[in-house]
Amino acid sequence: MSLALPRPHRDDLRIAVGGLLGGVLLWALGIHPRVASDSLVLWHAPWAPLVPLVVTAACEPLRRTRPRLGLLIGTAVLPLDTVTLGSVVTIVLYTDLMYAAVLYGSPAAARRIPWITGMLTVLGGVVPAALWRDPQGLLIGVGVGVVAFAPASTGWVVRNHRNAAEAARLRAEQTALLAEMDRVQAVTAERARFARELHDMVANHLSAIAIHSTAALSLDDPKTSQDALAVIRENSVEGLAEMRRLIGILRDSSGDHEPAASPTLDGLGALVDGACANGLDVTLDAGHDSVPAPVELAAYRIVQESLTNALKHAARGHVRVSLRQENDTLHVRVTSPYRAGDTPRAPGSGSGLAGMRERAALLGGGFEAGPEDGHWAVRAALPLTEGDPV
């Protein structure tokens, strides 16, 4: 089974070919860093400098895919260049292998190589100078520093810059993603809020219209039909006014998305009177002080939706609306007659209870609805300090 190496980068192939051709050209022109009479030259064959040149150039395609392997082979063959007439191109290619090993190698190699080359640079300068007692021995350390430590340090600096740039890019992407998530959540929350407002504003009027139109069609009594048509007209006009107000809010570009005239608890009397005009027998028992506007709006909408549900679903009987303020909490309670199995007098989607529960939850309050001693009871506890749990 053969080991498949990754395909080298095309730029690495260009570096290898360009370095090889440049080294061959310098060899053909007889340009070498050393002369044949140099005491370090032990291999005098004319073609000897080509051996380390070819091997080092062959390591260049590994600079990204196998940088450590390329550096090891280059380091092993570099001493051959020192015992021949040598080639400047071989040294340049080796410095590139050192640079690539730090830049593209593993994090451990990137940390260790600069330290190792730095120690070799110091030892290469101090030890010969101490042994030969000649300051010129420091030049050996300088040579090691230029060939090994300088490219390794450059690779370390470039790698750190690339890592910092990548980290900044990732942070920017995460920030953009979080911003998009916040935008989607804000849009979703705003759509849900307007859905609740639309339902609470219109459902009461449309339910009354549906019930009274059914009565007008089913009873052959001109007086009853006339009264039902009057109620239908009144609710349709009020419903259209509510719709126009909500559409005006949606079209408003000033950034103020709250209704211009939000209903308050002072309007519960008119709300109860309207429910009585629609055929319900309702009494209101309100005992509370001044409450914050968000709590006031939520309480009003919960009572409004409860009366709408009573109009559609409740059996004949007394409907009671009660508001009590206790321990920084406004308790809202609406009870209506209930008989299991009764058919609704108007169709419903079931979103009313969900909307009331959402309103209470947004204020950190609690909400319950269900049968209780022959009645349908709606109970909400709204904290007067926004966000306090109940």
mmCIF file of all heavy atoms in Angstrom, residues 205-250:
data_model
loop_
_atom_site.group_PDB
_atom_site.id
_atom_site.type_symbol
_atom_site.label_atom_id
_atom_site.label_comp_id
_atom_site.label_asym_id
_atom_site.label_seq_id
_atom_site.Cartn_x
_atom_site.Cartn_y
_atom_site.Cartn_z
ATOM 1 N N HIS A 205 -64.786 42.614 18.642
ATOM 2 C CA HIS A 205 -65.790 43.181 17.739
ATOM 3 C C HIS A 205 -66.283 42.150 16.735
ATOM 4 O O HIS A 205 -67.495 42.057 16.465
ATOM 5 C CB HIS A 205 -65.202 44.386 17.010
ATOM 6 C CG HIS A 205 -64.751 45.480 17.933
ATOM 7 N ND1 HIS A 205 -65.605 46.147 18.772
ATOM 8 C CD2 HIS A 205 -63.517 46.002 18.160
ATOM 9 C CE1 HIS A 205 -64.933 47.061 19.469
ATOM 10 N NE2 HIS A 205 -63.657 46.988 19.120
ATOM 11 N N LEU A 206 -65.376 41.365 16.160
ATOM 12 C CA LEU A 206 -65.787 40.379 15.165
ATOM 13 C C LEU A 206 -66.634 39.277 15.791
ATOM 14 O O LEU A 206 -67.575 38.761 15.166
ATOM 15 C CB LEU A 206 -64.556 39.782 14.477
ATOM 16 C CG LEU A 206 -63.756 40.744 13.602
ATOM 17 C CD1 LEU A 206 -62.587 40.009 12.946
ATOM 18 C CD2 LEU A 206 -64.629 41.377 12.532
ATOM 19 N N SER A 207 -66.335 38.897 17.034
ATOM 20 C CA SER A 207 -67.140 37.879 17.710
ATOM 21 C C SER A 207 -68.572 38.387 17.915
ATOM 22 O O SER A 207 -69.552 37.653 17.701
ATOM 23 C CB SER A 207 -66.509 37.516 19.045
ATOM 24 O OG SER A 207 -65.224 36.954 18.863
ATOM 25 N N ALA A 208 -68.691 39.662 18.366
ATOM 26 C CA ALA A 208 -70.037 40.228 18.553
ATOM 27 C C ALA A 208 -70.784 40.300 17.228
ATOM 28 O O ALA A 208 -71.991 40.011 17.161
ATOM 29 C CB ALA A 208 -69.916 41.621 19.178
ATOM 30 N N ILE A 209 -70.074 40.672 16.153
ATOM 31 C CA ILE A 209 -70.714 40.735 14.837
ATOM 32 C C ILE A 209 -71.209 39.367 14.413
ATOM 33 O O ILE A 209 -72.341 39.198 13.915
ATOM 34 C CB ILE A 209 -69.730 41.318 13.808
ATOM 35 C CG1 ILE A 209 -69.483 42.805 14.090
ATOM 36 C CG2 ILE A 209 -70.253 41.118 12.390
ATOM 37 C CD1 ILE A 209 -68.387 43.405 13.244
ATOM 38 N N ALA A 210 -70.365 38.340 14.620
ATOM 39 C CA ALA A 210 -70.762 36.985 14.212
ATOM 40 C C ALA A 210 -71.970 36.495 14.996
ATOM 41 O O ALA A 210 -72.909 35.913 14.428
ATOM 42 C CB ALA A 210 -69.578 36.034 14.406
ATOM 43 N N ILE A 211 -71.978 36.732 16.300
ATOM 44 C CA ILE A 211 -73.082 36.238 17.139
ATOM 45 C C ILE A 211 -74.382 36.970 16.811
ATOM 46 O O ILE A 211 -75.452 36.361 16.634
ATOM 47 C CB ILE A 211 -72.716 36.399 18.625
ATOM 48 C CG1 ILE A 211 -71.577 35.439 18.979
ATOM 49 C CG2 ILE A 211 -73.922 36.142 19.513
ATOM 50 C CD1 ILE A 211 -71.006 35.637 20.355
ATOM 51 N N HIS A 212 -74.354 38.292 16.677
ATOM 52 C CA HIS A 212 -75.573 39.039 16.420
ATOM 53 C C HIS A 212 -76.067 38.843 14.985
ATOM 54 O O HIS A 212 -77.279 38.868 14.732
ATOM 55 C CB HIS A 212 -75.352 40.523 16.697
ATOM 56 C CG HIS A 212 -75.314 40.843 18.162
ATOM 57 N ND1 HIS A 212 -74.181 40.706 18.928
ATOM 58 C CD2 HIS A 212 -76.287 41.262 19.016
ATOM 59 C CE1 HIS A 212 -74.441 41.039 20.187
ATOM 60 N NE2 HIS A 212 -75.717 41.392 20.272
ATOM 61 N N SER A 213 -75.144 38.644 14.049
ATOM 62 C CA SER A 213 -75.609 38.344 12.685
ATOM 63 C C SER A 213 -76.296 36.986 12.646
ATOM 64 O O SER A 213 -77.297 36.804 11.924
ATOM 65 C CB SER A 213 -74.440 38.389 11.715
ATOM 66 O OG SER A 213 -73.462 37.404 12.058
ATOM 67 N N THR A 214 -75.803 36.036 13.407
ATOM 68 C CA THR A 214 -76.472 34.730 13.486
ATOM 69 C C THR A 214 -77.867 34.868 14.075
ATOM 70 O O THR A 214 -78.838 34.257 13.591
ATOM 71 C CB THR A 214 -75.639 33.764 14.331
ATOM 72 O OG1 THR A 214 -74.342 33.616 13.760
ATOM 73 C CG2 THR A 214 -76.311 32.402 14.420
ATOM 74 N N ALA A 215 -77.984 35.700 15.138
ATOM 75 C CA ALA A 215 -79.296 35.916 15.743
ATOM 76 C C ALA A 215 -80.250 36.605 14.776
ATOM 77 O O ALA A 215 -81.442 36.258 14.687
ATOM 78 C CB ALA A 215 -79.137 36.747 17.014
ATOM 79 N N ALA A 216 -79.724 37.584 14.032
ATOM 80 C CA ALA A 216 -80.588 38.299 13.091
ATOM 81 C C ALA A 216 -81.080 37.388 11.979
ATOM 82 O O ALA A 216 -82.210 37.537 11.477
ATOM 83 C CB ALA A 216 -79.829 39.487 12.501
ATOM 84 N N LEU A 217 -80.259 36.446 11.560
ATOM 85 C CA LEU A 217 -80.653 35.537 10.492
ATOM 86 C C LEU A 217 -81.593 34.435 10.984
ATOM 87 O O LEU A 217 -82.426 33.919 10.213
ATOM 88 C CB LEU A 217 -79.404 34.908 9.865
ATOM 89 C CG LEU A 217 -78.495 35.860 9.074
ATOM 90 C CD1 LEU A 217 -77.212 35.134 8.668
ATOM 91 C CD2 LEU A 217 -79.221 36.387 7.829
ATOM 92 N N SER A 218 -81.455 34.039 12.249
ATOM 93 C CA SER A 218 -82.224 32.899 12.744
ATOM 94 C C SER A 218 -83.578 33.284 13.329
ATOM 95 O O SER A 218 -84.479 32.449 13.417
ATOM 96 C CB SER A 218 -81.413 32.159 13.812
ATOM 97 O OG SER A 218 -81.125 33.027 14.903
ATOM 98 N N LEU A 219 -83.786 34.558 13.734
ATOM 99 C CA LEU A 219 -85.034 34.993 14.356
ATOM 100 C C LEU A 219 -85.823 35.859 13.387
ATOM 101 O O LEU A 219 -85.291 36.824 12.819
ATOM 102 C CB LEU A 219 -84.746 35.775 15.648
ATOM 103 C CG LEU A 219 -84.036 34.990 16.767
ATOM 104 C CD1 LEU A 219 -83.747 35.907 17.948
ATOM 105 C CD2 LEU A 219 -84.871 33.799 17.201
ATOM 106 N N ASP A 220 -87.080 35.503 13.206
ATOM 107 C CA ASP A 220 -87.948 36.273 12.305
ATOM 108 C C ASP A 220 -88.685 37.328 13.114
ATOM 109 O O ASP A 220 -89.916 37.284 13.294
ATOM 110 C CB ASP A 220 -88.927 35.322 11.605
ATOM 111 C CG ASP A 220 -89.698 36.034 10.494
ATOM 112 O OD1 ASP A 220 -89.297 37.162 10.125
ATOM 113 O OD2 ASP A 220 -90.706 35.464 10.013
ATOM 114 N N ASP A 221 -87.918 38.256 13.656
ATOM 115 C CA ASP A 221 -88.483 39.315 14.487
ATOM 116 C C ASP A 221 -87.817 40.631 14.076
ATOM 117 O O ASP A 221 -86.620 40.825 14.283
ATOM 118 C CB ASP A 221 -88.203 39.022 15.962
ATOM 119 C CG ASP A 221 -88.818 40.071 16.885
ATOM 120 O OD1 ASP A 221 -89.398 41.048 16.369
ATOM 121 O OD2 ASP A 221 -88.705 39.898 18.115
ATOM 122 N N PRO A 222 -88.588 41.512 13.464
ATOM 123 C CA PRO A 222 -87.988 42.761 12.964
ATOM 124 C C PRO A 222 -87.286 43.566 14.056
ATOM 125 O O PRO A 222 -86.219 44.137 13.832
ATOM 126 C CB PRO A 222 -89.190 43.525 12.393
ATOM 127 C CG PRO A 222 -90.173 42.456 12.046
ATOM 128 C CD PRO A 222 -90.002 41.399 13.096
ATOM 129 N N LYS A 223 -87.893 43.619 15.257
ATOM 130 C CA LYS A 223 -87.269 44.391 16.332
ATOM 131 C C LYS A 223 -85.937 43.781 16.740
ATOM 132 O O LYS A 223 -84.924 44.490 16.908
ATOM 133 C CB LYS A 223 -88.217 44.420 17.540
ATOM 134 C CG LYS A 223 -87.672 45.211 18.753
ATOM 135 C CD LYS A 223 -87.501 46.671 18.399
ATOM 136 C CE LYS A 223 -87.166 47.495 19.659
ATOM 137 N NZ LYS A 223 -85.914 47.113 20.266
ATOM 138 N N THR A 224 -85.885 42.444 16.882
ATOM 139 C CA THR A 224 -84.622 41.776 17.247
ATOM 140 C C THR A 224 -83.587 41.959 16.151
ATOM 141 O O THR A 224 -82.396 42.218 16.428
ATOM 142 C CB THR A 224 -84.869 40.286 17.495
ATOM 143 O OG1 THR A 224 -85.854 40.134 18.525
ATOM 144 C CG2 THR A 224 -83.587 39.590 17.922
ATOM 145 N N SER A 225 -83.994 41.833 14.905
ATOM 146 C CA SER A 225 -83.063 42.016 13.786
ATOM 147 C C SER A 225 -82.530 43.439 13.744
ATOM 148 O O SER A 225 -81.347 43.664 13.475
ATOM 149 C CB SER A 225 -83.754 41.674 12.461
ATOM 150 O OG SER A 225 -84.169 40.323 12.449
ATOM 151 N N GLN A 226 -83.414 44.417 14.028
ATOM 152 C CA GLN A 226 -82.984 45.805 14.034
ATOM 153 C C GLN A 226 -81.952 46.046 15.133
ATOM 154 O O GLN A 226 -80.925 46.718 14.914
ATOM 155 C CB GLN A 226 -84.198 46.716 14.234
ATOM 156 C CG GLN A 226 -83.886 48.205 14.099
ATOM 157 C CD GLN A 226 -83.602 48.609 12.661
ATOM 158 O OE1 GLN A 226 -83.981 47.880 11.731
ATOM 159 N NE2 GLN A 226 -82.936 49.735 12.467
ATOM 160 N N ASP A 227 -82.210 45.508 16.330
ATOM 161 C CA ASP A 227 -81.241 45.672 17.433
ATOM 162 C C ASP A 227 -79.919 44.989 17.102
ATOM 163 O O ASP A 227 -78.833 45.516 17.403
ATOM 164 C CB ASP A 227 -81.831 45.087 18.714
ATOM 165 C CG ASP A 227 -83.038 45.884 19.217
ATOM 166 O OD1 ASP A 227 -83.169 47.043 18.797
ATOM 167 O OD2 ASP A 227 -83.815 45.311 20.005
ATOM 168 N N ALA A 228 -79.996 43.779 16.492
ATOM 169 C CA ALA A 228 -78.771 43.067 16.141
ATOM 170 C C ALA A 228 -77.965 43.825 15.095
ATOM 171 O O ALA A 228 -76.732 43.926 15.177
ATOM 172 C CB ALA A 228 -79.106 41.658 15.623
ATOM 173 N N LEU A 229 -78.655 44.418 14.106
ATOM 174 C CA LEU A 229 -77.948 45.188 13.083
ATOM 175 C C LEU A 229 -77.298 46.427 13.688
ATOM 176 O O LEU A 229 -76.212 46.840 13.264
ATOM 177 C CB LEU A 229 -78.920 45.583 11.967
ATOM 178 C CG LEU A 229 -79.404 44.433 11.073
ATOM 179 C CD1 LEU A 229 -80.452 44.932 10.088
ATOM 180 C CD2 LEU A 229 -78.232 43.807 10.323
ATOM 181 N N ALA A 230 -77.948 47.032 14.681
ATOM 182 C CA ALA A 230 -77.338 48.195 15.332
ATOM 183 C C ALA A 230 -76.056 47.805 16.063
ATOM 184 O O ALA A 230 -75.045 48.518 16.011
ATOM 185 C CB ALA A 230 -78.348 48.816 16.303
ATOM 186 N N VAL A 231 -76.118 46.660 16.753
ATOM 187 C CA VAL A 231 -74.917 46.191 17.442
ATOM 188 C C VAL A 231 -73.827 45.831 16.429
ATOM 189 O O VAL A 231 -72.638 46.123 16.641
ATOM 190 C CB VAL A 231 -75.255 44.983 18.330
ATOM 191 C CG1 VAL A 231 -73.988 44.385 18.942
ATOM 192 C CG2 VAL A 231 -76.213 45.385 19.444
ATOM 193 N N ILE A 232 -74.230 45.208 15.321
ATOM 194 C CA ILE A 232 -73.252 44.839 14.288
ATOM 195 C C ILE A 232 -72.577 46.082 13.732
ATOM 196 O O ILE A 232 -71.351 46.130 13.556
ATOM 197 C CB ILE A 232 -73.951 44.044 13.172
ATOM 198 C CG1 ILE A 232 -74.340 42.646 13.687
ATOM 199 C CG2 ILE A 232 -73.060 43.920 11.941
ATOM 200 C CD1 ILE A 232 -75.189 41.854 12.721
ATOM 201 N N ARG A 233 -73.398 47.105 13.453
ATOM 202 C CA ARG A 233 -72.811 48.331 12.908
ATOM 203 C C ARG A 233 -71.850 48.973 13.911
ATOM 204 O O ARG A 233 -70.749 49.413 13.548
ATOM 205 C CB ARG A 233 -73.908 49.327 12.541
ATOM 206 C CG ARG A 233 -73.352 50.598 11.892
ATOM 207 C CD ARG A 233 -74.432 51.622 11.628
ATOM 208 N NE ARG A 233 -73.856 52.736 10.913
ATOM 209 C CZ ARG A 233 -73.120 53.716 11.475
ATOM 210 N NH1 ARG A 233 -72.868 53.668 12.779
ATOM 211 N NH2 ARG A 233 -72.636 54.705 10.736
ATOM 212 N N GLU A 234 -72.255 49.047 15.167
ATOM 213 C CA GLU A 234 -71.400 49.662 16.190
ATOM 214 C C GLU A 234 -70.071 48.923 16.314
ATOM 215 O O GLU A 234 -68.998 49.547 16.363
ATOM 216 C CB GLU A 234 -72.130 49.676 17.525
ATOM 217 C CG GLU A 234 -71.320 50.302 18.655
ATOM 218 C CD GLU A 234 -72.050 50.243 19.990
ATOM 219 O OE1 GLU A 234 -73.216 49.802 20.017
ATOM 220 O OE2 GLU A 234 -71.436 50.637 21.007
ATOM 221 N N ASN A 235 -70.117 47.593 16.358
ATOM 222 C CA ASN A 235 -68.875 46.826 16.488
ATOM 223 C C ASN A 235 -68.027 46.903 15.235
ATOM 224 O O ASN A 235 -66.793 46.918 15.322
ATOM 225 C CB ASN A 235 -69.204 45.368 16.820
ATOM 226 C CG ASN A 235 -69.525 45.153 18.282
ATOM 227 O OD1 ASN A 235 -68.649 45.019 19.118
ATOM 228 N ND2 ASN A 235 -70.828 45.159 18.611
ATOM 229 N N SER A 236 -68.639 46.954 14.074
ATOM 230 C CA SER A 236 -67.855 47.050 12.841
ATOM 231 C C SER A 236 -67.150 48.395 12.753
ATOM 232 O O SER A 236 -65.985 48.478 12.352
ATOM 233 C CB SER A 236 -68.750 46.833 11.628
ATOM 234 O OG SER A 236 -69.767 47.841 11.560
ATOM 235 N N VAL A 237 -67.838 49.476 13.167
ATOM 236 C CA VAL A 237 -67.204 50.790 13.145
ATOM 237 C C VAL A 237 -66.039 50.838 14.138
ATOM 238 O O VAL A 237 -64.946 51.342 13.830
ATOM 239 C CB VAL A 237 -68.244 51.884 13.467
ATOM 240 C CG1 VAL A 237 -67.551 53.230 13.691
ATOM 241 C CG2 VAL A 237 -69.249 51.994 12.338
ATOM 242 N N GLU A 238 -66.263 50.312 15.342
ATOM 243 C CA GLU A 238 -65.187 50.301 16.334
ATOM 244 C C GLU A 238 -64.030 49.415 15.887
ATOM 245 O O GLU A 238 -62.858 49.751 16.096
ATOM 246 C CB GLU A 238 -65.736 49.834 17.683
ATOM 247 C CG GLU A 238 -66.713 50.810 18.323
ATOM 248 C CD GLU A 238 -67.247 50.296 19.644
ATOM 249 O OE1 GLU A 238 -66.859 49.166 20.029
ATOM 250 O OE2 GLU A 238 -68.036 51.001 20.291
ATOM 251 N N GLY A 239 -64.359 48.288 15.288
ATOM 252 C CA GLY A 239 -63.294 47.409 14.793
ATOM 253 C C GLY A 239 -62.481 48.066 13.694
ATOM 254 O O GLY A 239 -61.249 47.951 13.656
ATOM 255 N N LEU A 240 -63.130 48.784 12.781
ATOM 256 C CA LEU A 240 -62.399 49.493 11.729
ATOM 257 C C LEU A 240 -61.517 50.582 12.323
ATOM 258 O O LEU A 240 -60.395 50.807 11.843
ATOM 259 C CB LEU A 240 -63.396 50.096 10.727
ATOM 260 C CG LEU A 240 -64.078 49.103 9.790
ATOM 261 C CD1 LEU A 240 -65.148 49.806 8.972
ATOM 262 C CD2 LEU A 240 -63.058 48.448 8.869
ATOM 263 N N ALA A 241 -62.004 51.262 13.357
ATOM 264 C CA ALA A 241 -61.175 52.288 13.992
ATOM 265 C C ALA A 241 -59.932 51.680 14.626
ATOM 266 O O ALA A 241 -58.831 52.232 14.523
ATOM 267 C CB ALA A 241 -62.003 53.034 15.041
ATOM 268 N N GLU A 242 -60.105 50.539 15.281
ATOM 269 C CA GLU A 242 -58.952 49.851 15.875
ATOM 270 C C GLU A 242 -57.979 49.414 14.795
ATOM 271 O O GLU A 242 -56.748 49.530 14.952
ATOM 272 C CB GLU A 242 -59.427 48.644 16.683
ATOM 273 C CG GLU A 242 -60.298 48.985 17.880
ATOM 274 C CD GLU A 242 -59.493 49.522 19.049
ATOM 275 O OE1 GLU A 242 -58.268 49.675 18.910
ATOM 276 O OE2 GLU A 242 -60.090 49.782 20.100
ATOM 277 N N MET A 243 -58.501 48.918 13.683
ATOM 278 C CA MET A 243 -57.630 48.484 12.586
ATOM 279 C C MET A 243 -56.857 49.659 12.005
ATOM 280 O O MET A 243 -55.659 49.560 11.727
ATOM 281 C CB MET A 243 -58.464 47.814 11.496
ATOM 282 C CG MET A 243 -58.937 46.421 11.839
ATOM 283 S SD MET A 243 -57.554 45.237 11.879
ATOM 284 C CE MET A 243 -57.083 45.222 10.167
ATOM 285 N N ARG A 244 -57.529 50.796 11.809
ATOM 286 C CA ARG A 244 -56.837 51.964 11.266
ATOM 287 C C ARG A 244 -55.735 52.432 12.207
ATOM 288 O O ARG A 244 -54.656 52.826 11.776
ATOM 289 C CB ARG A 244 -57.835 53.095 11.034
ATOM 290 C CG ARG A 244 -58.654 52.934 9.763
ATOM 291 C CD ARG A 244 -59.363 54.231 9.408
ATOM 292 N NE ARG A 244 -60.366 54.570 10.416
ATOM 293 C CZ ARG A 244 -61.641 54.213 10.354
ATOM 294 N NH1 ARG A 244 -62.068 53.494 9.327
ATOM 295 N NH2 ARG A 244 -62.482 54.565 11.298
ATOM 296 N N ARG A 245 -55.988 52.368 13.513
ATOM 297 C CA ARG A 245 -54.963 52.775 14.471
ATOM 298 C C ARG A 245 -53.756 51.849 14.413
ATOM 299 O O ARG A 245 -52.602 52.296 14.424
ATOM 300 C CB ARG A 245 -55.534 52.800 15.886
ATOM 301 C CG ARG A 245 -54.550 53.353 16.907
ATOM 302 C CD ARG A 245 -55.194 53.546 18.255
ATOM 303 N NE ARG A 245 -55.542 52.269 18.875
ATOM 304 C CZ ARG A 245 -55.992 52.158 20.115
ATOM 305 N NH1 ARG A 245 -56.173 53.245 20.848
ATOM 306 N NH2 ARG A 245 -56.291 50.978 20.632
ATOM 307 N N LEU A 246 -54.008 50.542 14.323
ATOM 308 C CA LEU A 246 -52.897 49.598 14.258
ATOM 309 C C LEU A 246 -52.122 49.752 12.960
ATOM 310 O O LEU A 246 -50.886 49.705 12.947
ATOM 311 C CB LEU A 246 -53.431 48.164 14.376
ATOM 312 C CG LEU A 246 -52.375 47.063 14.423
ATOM 313 C CD1 LEU A 246 -51.453 47.273 15.616
ATOM 314 C CD2 LEU A 246 -53.025 45.697 14.496
ATOM 315 N N ILE A 247 -52.819 49.961 11.848
ATOM 316 C CA ILE A 247 -52.125 50.180 10.566
ATOM 317 C C ILE A 247 -51.304 51.461 10.619
ATOM 318 O O ILE A 247 -50.187 51.534 10.082
ATOM 319 C CB ILE A 247 -53.150 50.221 9.425
ATOM 320 C CG1 ILE A 247 -53.768 48.833 9.233
ATOM 321 C CG2 ILE A 247 -52.495 50.678 8.120
ATOM 322 C CD1 ILE A 247 -54.901 48.793 8.242
ATOM 323 N N GLY A 248 -51.832 52.485 11.282
ATOM 324 C CA GLY A 248 -51.053 53.713 11.435
ATOM 325 C C GLY A 248 -49.776 53.488 12.215
ATOM 326 O O GLY A 248 -48.737 54.072 11.909
ATOM 327 N N ILE A 249 -49.847 52.630 13.233
ATOM 328 C CA ILE A 249 -48.637 52.303 13.999
ATOM 329 C C ILE A 249 -47.621 51.600 13.109
ATOM 330 O O ILE A 249 -46.423 51.896 13.137
ATOM 331 C CB ILE A 249 -49.004 51.425 15.212
ATOM 332 C CG1 ILE A 249 -49.892 52.198 16.184
ATOM 333 C CG2 ILE A 249 -47.740 50.947 15.929
ATOM 334 C CD1 ILE A 249 -50.466 51.332 17.282
ATOM 335 N N LEU A 250 -48.090 50.663 12.283
ATOM 336 C CA LEU A 250 -47.188 49.921 11.411
ATOM 337 C C LEU A 250 -46.531 50.829 10.380
ATOM 338 O O LEU A 250 -45.383 50.614 9.994
ATOM 339 C CB LEU A 250 -47.945 48.799 10.704
ATOM 340 C CG LEU A 250 -48.425 47.645 11.590
ATOM 341 C CD1 LEU A 250 -49.326 46.712 10.801
ATOM 342 C CD2 LEU A 250 -47.250 46.879 12.155
#
